Structures are given as structure tokens and as C-alpha cells.
Amino acid sequence: MTARKLRLGVNIDHAATVRNARGGHHPDPVRTAQLAIAAGADGITAHLREDRRHIRDDDIRRLKRELTRPLNFEMAATREMEAIALEVVPHACCLVPEKREERTTEGGLDVVRGAQDLTGLTRRLKGAGIRVSLFIEPDPAAIDASVRIGADIVELHTGRYCELALENDHAGVAREVARIAAAASLAHQKGLEVHAGHGLTFATVSAVARMPEMVELNIGHFLIGEAIFSGLDGAVREMRRLMDEARSDAGVGGGSA
Ligand code: PXP
């Protein structure tokens, strides 16, 4: 396989979480995104949830207007979000499952049972020139369904891997890394662009970054938290460095796209 650059997408949802804790405008997620880009982010991700718990409608519009890098709009597969996506026309939409009571996106989309609805939505978004990504579990059935739905991209959920790493479950980590690697390889073979994300940290990013089929990693909560200690610039630069180092060690190319 030819050397492939790995993109870093920074998810800025939790700058908005901190802002919303007190109302008002500080810290501004758009300024957060601009700083992340200056530090080496290749793109910005923001999730407009139905309950608007962090990112708000106006943030999405400002991000699209003011950013110099692609906006990845994370959204549930609902009519409301579809209308916003078609109005804003982000670079990409990442379709995710959404439950009101969850603290974060807990699992991948049920692309097998939800295929019918997702196929129509994917067609309409693509028709507007938006790239469509499906956030899925790293499973062969989910990859096959994503191909049938017509997605451009699959984003593989790394949450389980990162949880096992926090529990120091080494056998579990090895099993989960192998599952993600196999899914990345299969998705690539089937013509899908491969992204990954959820729960990634300085400690867990390398094992995913070294997978040759990976094109983009989307990382949020850890970077915003780490910014308290080392600043956002330092946190993003260190993540970028670890990603590049992992790729260079694996001989699959580093640097941003
Ligand atoms: N990718 C997707 C599809 C997500 O839903 C999230 C969380 O919003 C992320 C990546 C980033 O996860 P984290 O904030 O845990 O880094």
C-alpha cells in the first residue's frame, strides 16, 4: 500500500460545553476551532445534538462561514438535522446514533436495521455535494451495510478499545485493536474511506494511527481536557506528533494531508 497521510480532525463540542455551563460566549467554539487549525488540525468536527447541550445552531453556521479547513458536521439521522445540513452544506456529515439520556455517542449506528432510512438521507446529502460518513462499530456486517447505503466514508468507533485501555485489560485491548484493524482493511478494500474516533488519548492514538488504511482520526474530549494543562496549541501539536511518529514507525507515512 502506498504511504498515506493521516488527517487530524478536532472535535470542539466540549469548548461549547464549558461555554454553556455559564451561558454567554466564552470560550467561543469558533475561536477554539481556529486555534486547533493553527496548531495542526486538518479539519473541525462539531455535533449539533437534538438537545443542543453543547454546539448550537449558530455555532454550526459560524464554523462553516469562518473556518479555513473542512467542517465535519456530526448529526443524528433526523429530518431536523437534514434540513440544517442542506442549508449549511458542510464539507462532510457524519451520521451518528443519538439517545437523549446518553452522556456521549455510546455505540455505532445500526446500519443494518436502519439501512432504508439511511440510504435516502445519504443520497440527499450527497446530492447536495456533502460527503457522507457513517459512524459504525468495527464489524464486517456494518461495513457491508455502509457500502449498500452508499456512504463515502465509515468512521470506526474506537470507544470500546479506549475503555479497555483505561481498565488495563491488555488482552481485551489486543483483541479490539485487531478488530479495528480488520475492519479498516475490509472497509478500504470495499472502496470506503476509513476514519476512526471516540475516546482517543495520547496513550491510545498510536495503535490506531499506525493502521495503513486510516485517513482521519477525530478527537475531542481528551484534547479539550488536556488544554487545561498544556493549552490547546500544545495538546493538538502533541497529538499530531504522536500520530506522525506512529505512522513513520509503521512505515505508512506521516504529516497532515
Ligand atoms: N467521532 C464521533 C463520530 C463522535 O461522536 C465523537 C464524540 O462526539 C468523536 C469522534 C470524538 O470523541 P471524543 O470526544 O471522545 O474524542
Side-chain angles (χ1 to χ4, degrees):
M1 166 167 301
T2 50
R4 186 184 307 264
K5 309 264 186 193
L6 182 62
R7 296 166 49 84
L8 170 60
V10 173
N11 178 316
I12 44 103
D13 291 351
H14 296 301
T17 304
V18 176
R19 174 196 61 190
N20 295 357
R22 287 291 170 95
H25 303 287
H26 186 76
D28 177 17
V30 177
R31 185 173 163 207
T32 308
Q34 285 162 338
L35 258 174
I37 290 168
D42 300 291
I44 295 296
T45 295
H47 183 180
L48 184 66
R49 281 183 167 267
E50 183 198 14
D51 63 8
R52 308 311 198 256
R53 69 174 72 158
H54 37 58
I55 294 293
R56 299 176 184 147
D57 300 55
D58 183 50
D59 295 326
I60 291 290
R61 294 190 175 92
R62 286 183 57 225
L63 286 164
K64 171 67 202 300
R65 251 194 340 262
E66 296 179 33
L67 291 188
T68 54
R69 292 278 177 158
L71 173 63
N72 179 31
F73 176 38
E74 231 185 84
M75 57 178 257
T78 64
R79 284 282 174 187
E80 182 198 17
M81 290 301 149
E82 176 181 349
I84 295 170
L86 293 175
E87 179 213 316
V88 172
V89 192
H91 174 76
C93 283
C94 180
L95 307 182
V96 300
E98 201 174 292
K99 291 192 221 105
R100 231 166 235 252
E101 65 281 9
E102 70 190 354
R103 247 190 267 166
T104 180
T105 312
E106 281 166 359
L109 273 171
D110 187 347
V111 276
V112 176
R113 276 190 298 175
Q116 206 177 348
D117 292 348
L118 291 168
T119 304
L121 175 56
T122 298
R123 192 183 338 103
R124 293 189 293 276
L125 293 172
K126 285 175 71 168
I130 302 167
R131 303 192 77 214
V132 177
S133 169
L134 302 178
F135 189 41
I136 61 167
E137 291 298 319
D139 286 330
I143 291 164
D144 286 339
S146 301
V147 172
R148 286 196 299 276
I149 288 165
D152 301 292
I153 303 162
V154 283
E155 179 162 333
L156 304 176
H157 200 308
T158 53
R160 179 88 192 112
Y161 156 54
C162 293
E163 269 169 32
L164 292 166
L166 282 177
E167 292 162 13
N168 287 318
D169 178 345
H170 301 298
V173 162
R175 198 179 54 239
E176 201 59 24
V177 168
R179 192 162 84 98
I180 297 166
S185 166
L186 179 66
H188 176 74
Q189 270 171 40
K190 301 218 164 199
L192 293 162
E193 184 172 306
V194 185
H195 298 182
H198 210 282
L200 292 170
T201 66
F202 291 158
T204 50
V205 74
S206 302
V208 182
R210 58 188 295 126
M211 296 174 190
E213 300 84 2
M214 280 299 160
V215 171
E216 180 173 303
L217 301 183
N218 286 306
I219 309 180
H221 182 267
F222 177 81
L223 287 172
I224 300 295
E226 191 61 20
I228 292 170
F229 305 112
S230 58
L232 187 63
D233 186 84
V236 171
R237 280 181 202 282
E238 177 61 4
M239 191 61 84
R240 174 88 259 166
R241 189 191 69 73
L242 289 166
M243 286 164 57
D244 292 347
E245 183 181 78
R247 274 182 104 71
S248 143
D249 287 352
V252 289
S256 51

